[in-house]
Amino acid sequence: MAEKWKTSITYIEPNKILLRGYRVDELMGKITFPEAVYLALRGELPSEGEGKVIDAILVSSVDHGITAPSTLVARTLATTGVPLTTALAGGVSAVNRFHGGAIEGCMRYLYDAAKEMDGGKSATEAAADLLERLKKDGVRMPGFGHRVHTCDPRSVKLFQIAEEAGVKGKFTDLAGAVEAQLEIGLGKKLPINVDGAIAVVLCEMGFPPETGNAFFAMSRIVGMTAHYFEEISRYKPMRRIDQENWEYDGPQERKPGGR
Amino acid sequence: MAEKWKTSITYIEPNKILLRGYRVDELMGKITFPEAVYLALRGELPSEGEGKVIDAILVSSVDHGITAPSTLVARTLATTGVPLTTALAGGVSAVNRFHGGAIEGCMRYLYDAAKEMDGGKSATEAAADLLERLKKDGVRMPGFGHRVHTCDPRSVKLFQIAEEAGVKGKFTDLAGAVEAQLEIGLGKKLPINVDGAIAVVLCEMGFPPETGNAFFAMSRIVGMTAHYFEEISRYKPMRRIDQENWEYDGPQERKPGGR
Amino acid sequence: MAEKWKTSITYIEPNKILLRGYRVDELMGKITFPEAVYLALRGELPSEGEGKVIDAILVSSVDHGITAPSTLVARTLATTGVPLTTALAGGVSAVNRFHGGAIEGCMRYLYDAAKEMDGGKSATEAAADLLERLKKDGVRMPGFGHRVHTCDPRSVKLFQIAEEAGVKGKFTDLAGAVEAQLEIGLGKKLPINVDGAIAVVLCEMGFPPETGNAFFAMSRIVGMTAHYFEEISRYKPMRRIDQENWEYDGPQERKPGGR
Amino acid sequence: MAEKWKTSITYIEPNKILLRGYRVDELMGKITFPEAVYLALRGELPSEGEGKVIDAILVSSVDHGITAPSTLVARTLATTGVPLTTALAGGVSAVNRFHGGAIEGCMRYLYDAAKEMDGGKSATEAAADLLERLKKDGVRMPGFGHRVHTCDPRSVKLFQIAEEAGVKGKFTDLAGAVEAQLEIGLGKKLPINVDGAIAVVLCEMGFPPETGNAFFAMSRIVGMTAHYFEEISRYKPMRRIDQENWEYDGPQERKPGGR
């Protein structure tokens, strides 16, 4: 008999399920889903502030309309008659290097540069060195700039929430220094986008880069579900889903109000 | 030029993203992710109670270990060297008729039976009729019974949270009646499992069955991420991932404490 | 120890691989790939004619350009930076009820109608009954009609090759009868498309409907590979892939010549 | 209006489909599927010998039983009730770096080493340099060695067929030199496996590495279809599919005979 392999995530026995040692039924109603995300991935419960930051991350990327490739994929699959989860799977797989996947790439570079700060460099020096290395390799810094937004409102808000939650440190400094250096190098602003901002706060909380893209996937799977349902409810199968020639007919801008 | 097609989910302009009419950056920090799920799928903000029920749903199904087919798929893909989101995609696609997908099937039958209650039948009559119809078609009622658990602790807790939140009505009655009728018919208890309980509370909140399986996918994608990371961190590629011959080496049972 | 489960497809021992009893290395160079498809799925080697019909099926559906949803999915995935096989996976999953998947649906209806022919009905009667049943259920007969082609040249050629190969019988008659009945019912021709023609010849060879869509997937995966490579070779990542606003710049029409 | 983007693969007009300039209906029955693969990917028809080599590649990898991760994924998906093509998609996505994907990796290294041969080095020198570079990077040479086979019979046969077809040149020499150098370095044989052999002959024919893994996917999708059908035909849903505890109950070893 081969040696048993080991896993430390979940323990199961009849009528008992332990996630990282906690009974799932005792977690329900006691911790929030964003806190459960932290627990599952890191093995321990987060601080209250960390839970709020993850919550904001997950809200930030729920949807960005049909122009996102993941959503186009999910909605095109919907029109061919696949089950919901097949459409979601296609869309999730689109979260990669150039789409959402900027999170993982950005985290890797930030961790590298942070090591140089640990070795005594300033954030500005570490940022300048990083950008020079990327330039030499002909690679763009992931997580900065956006096809549509010149100043991504989601990034601004995420940093504000993180600051209030005490999730702010050298990675935030580093991101600011990268922005400043990019502006010097390019002669124009290339502000951090939502992927970049998510990468920064995930680094502040110590998440490994290998798990970074999951946050985008967890969030965007919600929007993809909405698009799947809208597609099969409003349209006939095998429709050509045009990313240009559409128009929004939802509610006008409104405020979340007294909540 | 073809007529523009319509979508009511998201409106985008530079530096502004509206989800169902609300600015995403204004939602961040103001509503929770589970509330954002409701908003994206239903078009309006939920009540506070509904938000809590969705939160509990999402916590309930985060992970169930390697014996879940979706997790085996994600972890087997991890061992072949695919990117994280490719592994998650494979796992998400496994949420189907017989796995997680019980949610959708169960919701369909509950909505059908509830129509008969609207027509004047009691919950018991509607449940008995439903089970008879299924028997005739040679189909099992989805959402009842479990491979491992004789009394799924997640179902018990979810109903309790839903009751406290005021999310309780005819679908809950119907589920109880189905359990009772199943026990009469089979001579043994076949209690509602977590998929079934999720189906019931989603019906109480008015979600369409077509979106039901997404809740399982949103929740389980978290556990699959944990398994992906554990696999690539602890093991070499191309490992045979045995669903029997493993052992849990995580923390002993513990309590979430004073939170 | 649980009882061993059984599989009759492949036997492996060091330096020996048997496919349905034949050494794979002895099959290489001796049977064609289309014959290997038959062997893998049916368990026995096909006749020479059957091998040729499968070959023609696989050639028929290699590509249909960017307007096919599977190809749009694969190409959109390519632009996000996924590995080749992730893009192919997304595209393969699009082969479903309304796209390529017409093969499976069409086969099911043809087998049903053929049973009635076995019970004494003529092809015309069986076709008329089938279409009436579908009409009652509000379902369209899959495999007939095409978005683009009024007379699909691939169907015509496939039937010709099948006839020469002796792969022609009651399903071919039935398909003709369905075409005739559709014309009477609709007052216009709705000729069999390539999915329908593939369904007919697969029925003639006795393939189960559950395997029908695989033939489309096996064939179209080739075109999707070509599109993936063209996309990453000719274009930058995160391109909006428009299904309308493109133009063909490949070779002019030419003939396969003296082959 | 944005400029039209260009594609050179397929031209469509009503009742006419051109693949790389050839009418698909004229190709059917005239060229084989393996020749169509070459045409789609390379833009021109192959020589007769090249067609035969591709045919042998596609036959070589049709199936390798349940122990292949792609097949475990496809079969596990089958047991959850997904449609055929969703199961195939999961399996196709498993063809990656460490599984089947050795083809792409091996091709990249062979093309690199061949450039050094063009610069005047012998095959032995180029092979030795390549292995030294890989050793320095802590990377194994992909395409050599196998979990099960000490001398992969499929590789032997593929090289034989390629030689007969005149598809033999510097990449074949290089592969031999790599084998010899590996034996010197390791003190034991680590013979080329089927992925490696496929990589070599694809290089001889000039295929780009980016398309290499598609050949494995095209071939293995056949075996995955057979496994999907066997699973849903022989077993109940939600079965635990054990990669150890199974047994072959197909035909005994037999010969393809007088074909």
Side-chain angles (χ1 to χ4, degrees):
Chain A
M1 197 61 159
E3 208 194 338
K4 291 184 183 211
W5 65 276
K6 308 283 191 289
T7 177
S8 65
I9 302 165
T10 293
Y11 171 81
I12 305 284
E13 64 181 51
N15 306 329
K16 189 193 277 190
I17 303 146
L18 302 183
L19 177 67
R20 303 290 191 181
Y22 298 106
R23 290 179 67 123
V24 168
D25 52 315
E26 293 185 355
L27 295 176
M28 292 165 67
K30 188 137 201 167
I31 69 168
T32 65
F33 176 69
E35 290 172 333
V37 170
Y38 187 104
L39 173 64
L41 298 186
R42 305 297 305 283
E44 298 297 332
L45 289 166
S47 72
E48 202 188 316
E50 288 166 329
K52 284 185 179 168
V53 173
I54 295 175
D55 203 347
I57 290 173
L58 294 179
V59 171
S60 74
S61 300
V62 156
D63 199 48
H64 199 273
I66 190 64
T67 61
S70 50
T71 304
L72 177 62
V73 166
R75 201 150 179 157
T76 302
L77 287 168
T79 202
T80 69
V82 302
L84 167 64
T85 52
T86 302
L88 298 180
V92 164
S93 78
V95 178
N96 210 283
R97 253 188 311 156
F98 305 115
H99 174 45
I103 298 172
E104 178 177 334
C106 188
M107 287 176 79
R108 288 186 191 282
Y109 291 127
L110 292 174
Y111 276 123
D112 285 351
K115 262 187 227 155
E116 302 203 19
M117 288 172 73
D118 295 343
K121 283 193 185 158
S122 70
T124 301
E125 288 165 340
D129 286 2
L130 170 62
L131 292 175
E132 201 169 338
R133 268 202 317 282
L134 291 179
K135 201 176 177 178
K136 219 174 275 171
D137 295 348
V139 174
R140 284 185 47 182
M141 178 67 193
F144 290 77
H146 194 279
R147 286 173 299 138
V148 179
H149 309 298
T150 54
C151 173
D152 198 317
R154 300 168 295 180
S155 310
V156 175
K157 190 59 175 279
L158 185 57
F159 283 124
Q160 184 191 316
I161 290 169
E163 184 168 5
E164 285 164 22
V167 175
K168 191 186 173 183
K170 69 180 163 193
F171 296 98
T172 311
D173 297 343
L174 202 43
V178 168
E179 266 192 349
Q181 291 296 312
L182 281 171
E183 191 173 354
I184 292 168
L186 300 167
K188 60 165 187 171
K189 277 184 190 286
L190 196 71
I192 196 161
N193 59 34
V194 73
D195 296 345
I198 292 172
V200 170
V201 299
L202 290 176
C203 286
E204 297 288 10
M205 293 187 282
F207 280 89
E210 291 85 348
T211 61
N213 291 354
F215 289 84
F216 189 89
M218 287 172 202
S219 181
R220 188 55 55 89
I221 202 174
V222 179
M224 293 191 293
T225 304
H227 281 278
Y228 177 92
F229 184 68
E230 189 182 72
E231 182 61 33
I232 64 168
S233 311
R234 287 179 86 157
Y235 295 104
K236 289 198 180 154
M238 289 298 282
R239 183 173 76 88
R240 192 168 294 188
I241 296 169
D242 186 324
Q243 283 186 306
E244 297 277 2
N245 195 39
W246 57 276
E247 112 194 323
Y248 174 74
D249 68 348
Q252 290 304 300
E253 188 168 347
R254 50 183 174 166
K255 297 284 171 191
R259 295 173 66 89
Chain B
M1 196 60 161
E3 208 194 338
K4 292 184 182 211
W5 64 276
K6 307 284 190 288
T7 177
S8 64
I9 303 166
T10 293
Y11 171 81
I12 305 285
E13 64 182 50
N15 305 330
K16 188 194 280 193
I17 303 146
L18 302 184
L19 176 67
R20 302 291 191 181
Y22 299 105
R23 290 179 68 122
V24 167
D25 52 314
E26 293 185 355
L27 295 175
M28 292 166 66
K30 189 138 201 166
I31 69 169
T32 65
F33 176 69
E35 290 172 334
V37 170
Y38 187 104
L39 174 63
L41 298 186
R42 305 296 305 282
E44 297 298 331
L45 289 165
S47 72
E48 202 188 317
E50 288 166 329
K52 283 184 179 168
V53 172
I54 295 175
D55 204 348
I57 290 173
L58 294 178
V59 171
S60 75
S61 300
V62 157
D63 199 47
H64 199 273
I66 190 64
T67 62
S70 50
T71 304
L72 177 62
V73 165
R75 201 150 178 157
T76 302
L77 287 169
T79 202
T80 69
V82 301
L84 167 64
T85 52
T86 302
L88 299 180
V92 164
S93 78
V95 177
N96 210 283
R97 253 188 310 155
F98 305 115
H99 175 45
I103 297 171
E104 178 178 333
C106 187
M107 287 176 79
R108 288 187 191 282
Y109 292 127
L110 291 174
Y111 276 123
D112 285 351
K115 260 185 229 157
E116 303 202 19
M117 287 172 74
D118 296 343
K121 284 192 184 159
S122 70
T124 301
E125 288 164 339
D129 287 1
L130 169 61
L131 293 174
E132 201 168 338
R133 269 202 316 281
L134 291 178
K135 202 176 178 178
K136 219 174 276 171
D137 296 348
V139 174
R140 285 184 47 180
M141 177 67 193
F144 290 78
H146 195 279
R147 287 172 300 137
V148 179
H149 308 298
T150 55
C151 173
D152 198 316
R154 300 168 294 181
S155 309
V156 175
K157 189 59 174 278
L158 185 57
F159 283 125
Q160 185 191 313
I161 289 169
E163 184 169 4
E164 285 164 22
V167 175
K168 192 187 171 183
K170 68 181 162 189
F171 297 98
T172 310
D173 296 344
L174 201 43
V178 168
E179 266 192 349
Q181 291 297 311
L182 281 170
E183 190 173 356
I184 292 169
L186 301 167
K188 60 165 187 169
K189 278 183 189 287
L190 196 71
I192 196 161
N193 59 35
V194 73
D195 296 344
I198 292 173
V200 170
V201 298
L202 290 176
C203 286
E204 296 288 11
M205 294 186 282
F207 281 89
E210 291 85 348
T211 61
N213 291 354
F215 289 83
F216 189 90
M218 286 172 202
S219 181
R220 188 55 56 88
I221 202 173
V222 179
M224 293 191 293
T225 304
H227 281 277
Y228 177 91
F229 184 68
E230 189 182 72
E231 182 61 34
I232 64 168
S233 312
R234 287 180 85 157
Y235 294 104
K236 288 197 179 154
M238 288 300 280
R239 182 172 77 88
R240 192 167 294 188
I241 297 168
D242 187 324
Q243 283 185 306
E244 297 278 2
N245 195 39
W246 57 276
E247 120 193 315
Y248 174 74
D249 69 348
Q252 291 303 300
E253 188 168 345
R254 50 183 175 167
K255 297 283 171 192
R259 296 174 66 90
Chain C
M1 196 60 162
E3 208 195 337
K4 293 185 182 211
W5 64 276
K6 308 284 192 287
T7 177
S8 65
I9 302 166
T10 293
Y11 172 81
I12 305 285
E13 64 181 49
N15 307 329
K16 189 193 277 191
I17 303 146
L18 301 185
L19 176 68
R20 302 291 190 180
Y22 299 105
R23 292 179 67 123
V24 168
D25 52 313
E26 293 187 356
L27 294 176
M28 292 165 66
K30 187 136 201 167
I31 70 169
T32 65
F33 176 68
E35 289 172 334
V37 170
Y38 187 105
L39 174 63
L41 298 186
R42 306 297 306 283
E44 298 297 332
L45 289 167
S47 72
E48 204 189 316
E50 288 166 329
K52 285 186 177 166
V53 172
I54 295 175
D55 203 348
I57 290 173
L58 295 179
V59 171
S60 74
S61 299
V62 156
D63 199 48
H64 198 274
I66 190 65
T67 61
S70 50
T71 303
L72 177 62
V73 166
R75 200 150 179 157
T76 302
L77 287 168
T79 201
T80 70
V82 302
L84 167 65
T85 53
T86 301
L88 298 180
V92 164
S93 78
V95 178
N96 210 284
R97 254 189 309 155
F98 305 116
H99 175 44
I103 297 172
E104 179 178 332
C106 188
M107 287 175 80
R108 288 188 191 281
Y109 291 127
L110 292 174
Y111 276 123
D112 286 351
K115 261 186 228 156
E116 302 204 20
M117 288 173 73
D118 296 343
K121 282 191 186 161
S122 71
T124 300
E125 288 164 340
D129 287 1
L130 169 62
L131 292 174
E132 202 169 337
R133 268 201 319 280
L134 291 178
K135 201 176 179 180
K136 221 175 275 172
D137 296 347
V139 175
R140 284 185 46 181
M141 177 67 194
F144 290 77
H146 195 279
R147 289 173 298 139
V148 179
H149 309 298
T150 53
C151 173
D152 198 316
R154 299 167 296 180
S155 310
V156 175
K157 189 58 175 278
L158 185 56
F159 282 125
Q160 185 191 316
I161 289 169
E163 184 169 3
E164 285 164 20
V167 176
K168 192 187 172 183
K170 67 181 164 192
F171 297 97
T172 310
D173 296 344
L174 202 42
V178 168
E179 266 192 349
Q181 291 296 312
L182 280 170
E183 190 173 354
I184 291 167
L186 301 167
K188 61 166 185 168
K189 278 184 189 286
L190 196 71
I192 196 161
N193 60 33
V194 71
D195 296 345
I198 291 172
V200 170
V201 298
L202 289 176
C203 286
E204 297 287 11
M205 293 187 282
F207 280 89
E210 291 87 348
T211 61
N213 292 354
F215 289 84
F216 190 89
M218 286 171 202
S219 181
R220 188 55 56 89
I221 203 174
V222 179
M224 293 191 293
T225 303
H227 281 277
Y228 177 92
F229 183 68
E230 190 182 69
E231 183 61 33
I232 64 168
S233 313
R234 287 180 85 157
Y235 295 104
K236 288 196 181 156
M238 289 298 282
R239 183 173 76 88
R240 192 166 294 186
I241 296 168
D242 186 325
Q243 284 186 306
E244 297 278 2
N245 196 37
W246 56 276
E247 118 192 317
Y248 174 74
D249 68 347
Q252 290 304 302
E253 189 169 346
R254 50 184 173 165
K255 297 285 170 187
R259 294 174 69 89
Chain D
M1 195 63 161
E3 207 194 338
K4 293 186 181 207
W5 63 276
K6 308 283 191 289
T7 178
S8 65
I9 302 166
T10 293
Y11 172 82
I12 305 284
E13 64 180 51
N15 306 329
K16 189 194 277 192
I17 303 146
L18 300 185
L19 176 67
R20 303 291 191 181
Y22 299 105
R23 291 178 68 123
V24 168
D25 52 314
E26 294 187 355
L27 294 175
M28 292 165 67
K30 187 135 201 169
I31 69 169
T32 65
F33 176 68
E35 289 171 333
V37 170
Y38 187 105
L39 174 64
L41 298 186
R42 306 296 306 283
E44 297 297 331
L45 289 166
S47 72
E48 202 188 318
E50 288 166 328
K52 284 184 177 167
V53 172
I54 295 174
D55 203 348
I57 290 173
L58 295 178
V59 171
S60 75
S61 299
V62 156
D63 199 48
H64 198 274
I66 190 64
T67 62
S70 50
T71 304
L72 178 61
V73 165
R75 200 149 178 156
T76 302
L77 288 169
T79 202
T80 69
V82 301
L84 167 65
T85 53
T86 302
L88 298 180
V92 164
S93 78
V95 177
N96 209 283
R97 253 189 310 155
F98 305 116
H99 175 45
I103 297 172
E104 179 177 332
C106 188
M107 287 175 80
R108 287 188 192 281
Y109 291 127
L110 292 174
Y111 276 123
D112 286 351
K115 261 186 229 158
E116 303 203 19
M117 288 172 73
D118 295 344
K121 281 191 187 163
S122 71
T124 301
E125 288 165 339
D129 287 1
L130 169 62
L131 292 175
E132 202 168 337
R133 268 201 319 280
L134 291 179
K135 203 175 178 179
K136 220 174 275 172
D137 296 347
V139 175
R140 283 184 47 181
M141 177 67 194
F144 290 77
H146 195 279
R147 289 172 301 138
V148 179
H149 309 298
T150 54
C151 172
D152 197 317
R154 299 168 295 181
S155 310
V156 175
K157 189 59 177 275
L158 185 57
F159 282 127
Q160 185 191 316
I161 289 169
E163 185 170 2
E164 284 164 21
V167 175
K168 192 186 171 185
K170 67 182 163 189
F171 296 96
T172 310
D173 296 345
L174 202 42
V178 168
E179 266 192 348
Q181 292 296 311
L182 281 171
E183 190 173 355
I184 291 167
L186 301 167
K188 62 165 185 168
K189 277 184 189 287
L190 196 72
I192 196 162
N193 60 34
V194 72
D195 296 344
I198 292 172
V200 170
V201 299
L202 289 176
C203 286
E204 297 287 11
M205 293 186 283
F207 280 89
E210 290 86 348
T211 61
N213 292 355
F215 288 84
F216 189 89
M218 286 171 203
S219 181
R220 189 54 57 88
I221 203 174
V222 179
M224 294 191 292
T225 304
H227 282 277
Y228 176 92
F229 183 68
E230 190 182 70
E231 183 60 33
I232 63 168
S233 314
R234 287 180 85 157
Y235 295 103
K236 288 196 182 157
M238 288 299 281
R239 183 172 76 88
R240 192 166 294 187
I241 297 169
D242 186 325
Q243 283 186 305
E244 298 277 1
N245 196 37
W246 56 275
E247 113 193 323
Y248 174 75
D249 69 346
Q252 291 304 301
E253 189 169 344
R254 51 182 174 167
K255 297 284 171 190
R259 294 174 67 88

